Amino acid sequence: MKLSIKNNHKKYIFLAISLLSVLMISVMSFLMFSLHSVPACKAVVKVIRTYDGEEKESVILVNLVPSGFREMTFIVNGQAASAQRGYTLSRMIEADYKYQSGYYYFRVKDIKKMPADNIIEDVVSKTLPIVNSRNFFLKVEALGEKSFVFTGNRAPAFICTTTEN
């Protein structure tokens, strides 16, 4: 009889430790995945550059889509203007990121040009430098429940709005 009580006592201790460890793993997973993640959202960016005293406008749709743990895909579509002519920009930029000191540090893994993309790399570097960067950082701050401002080093880059599925 004593042996049976002793085994039941060990069983309950083992069960309590197992439940506690599952609870701890669940809490840590929630914290790891929910805190400091870049939101999925869309933004329209209008860039005005001056070439030889003449203003050229570029209008670009930026769609941010999470593509894995600490990975983000930037889908960039729009019209970019240079001093000579206008171009179509259509790219998918895959990057991973880490959060540090209030900033998200992005490291570009792959840039895929879509068939409609006809912009020359030199023009991209001059007109929209962040599209050609291998590394960049952004600060993401919530403006409201569905709006976020993405800020570069000196000024806001764009305001992004989440969409409901």
Side-chain angles (χ1 to χ4, degrees):
M1 188 71 174
K2 287 183 180 182
L3 185 61
S4 174
I5 293 172
K6 200 175 201 180
N7 283 339
N8 281 341
H9 184 64
K10 286 181 181 179
K11 211 183 278 186
Y12 289 126
I13 290 174
F14 178 74
L15 184 63
I17 291 173
S18 298
L19 288 173
L20 185 63
S21 62
V22 168
L23 180 67
M24 291 291 288
I25 290 170
S26 299
V27 168
M28 293 304 291
S29 297
F30 173 76
L31 291 175
M32 195 161 116
F33 285 107
S34 66
L35 295 179
H36 302 299
S37 61
V38 179
C41 58
K42 295 180 182 181
V44 176
V45 180
K46 183 176 183 180
V47 179
I48 300 173
R49 300 270 183 181
T50 305
Y51 296 101
D52 298 325
E54 188 178 339
E55 288 185 351
K56 298 287 184 175
E57 277 186 15
S58 300
V59 179
I60 297 146
L61 171 67
V62 179
N63 190 0
L64 282 77
V65 180
S67 54
F69 180 67
R70 298 282 191 232
E71 292 180 354
M72 184 64 70
T73 300
F74 294 81
I75 302 171
V76 181
N77 293 303
Q79 298 293 319
S82 71
Q84 295 81 21
R85 60 177 261 213
Y87 297 94
T88 300
L89 180 67
S90 182
R91 296 186 182 195
M92 286 180 58
I93 303 167
E94 295 177 0
D96 56 7
Y97 64 90
K98 65 180 180 175
Y99 180 82
Q100 185 178 358
S101 303
Y103 286 89
Y104 292 91
Y105 293 87
F106 291 91
R107 186 180 57 85
V108 175
K109 296 190 306 186
D110 191 23
I111 299 174
K112 295 178 185 168
K113 285 179 81 172
M114 298 298 147
D117 192 314
N118 67 354
I119 195 165
I120 302 165
E121 295 305 318
D122 291 341
V123 175
V124 172
S125 297
K126 292 176 185 172
T127 310
L128 305 162
I130 199 166
V131 173
N132 248 8
S133 300
R134 296 311 280 174
N135 297 294
F136 59 94
F137 65 95
L138 294 170
K139 185 172 195 161
V140 181
E141 296 175 339
L143 291 177
E145 197 173 303
K146 295 184 179 185
S147 299
F148 300 89
V149 63
F150 285 69
T151 308
N153 195 20
R154 291 175 276 175
F158 54 88
I159 295 176
C160 205
T161 306
T162 60
T163 57
E164 294 190 27
N165 294 334

